[in-house]
Amino acid sequence: MNSLNSMDTLFSIVSIFGLLFYIVPIIFIIWFAISTTKQLKMQTKLLEEIKESLNR
């Protein structure tokens, strides 16, 4: 009976790590996409300001 409980616990821990194995990369990809988009918007704004200053 005691080994059955330890196997259930082990299975639960392995299941949680398996779930994290799929969730962590998805969160990283979303973070990377958001930060890249934000950086590109800032770069575009800066380039537009440079363009405006050159047109004057």
Side-chain angles (χ1 to χ4, degrees):
M1 181 96 168
N2 193 10
S3 77
L4 182 61
N5 289 338
S6 65
M7 289 302 286
D8 287 341
T9 305
L10 182 63
F11 181 74
S12 298
I13 292 171
V14 170
S15 296
I16 291 170
F17 281 126
L19 186 62
L20 287 176
F21 182 74
Y22 289 106
I23 291 176
V24 170
I26 291 171
I27 292 172
F28 178 75
I29 290 169
I30 292 171
W31 169 81
F32 181 77
I34 290 171
S35 64
T36 302
T37 304
K38 190 183 290 185
Q39 186 69 26
L40 288 173
K41 284 182 182 181
M42 289 173 31
Q43 183 178 0
T44 302
K45 184 178 178 181
L46 179 63
L47 287 172
E48 287 175 354
E49 290 174 2
I50 293 171
K51 178 185 164 192
E52 286 298 320
S53 68
L54 289 175
N55 285 338
R56 293 181 190 174

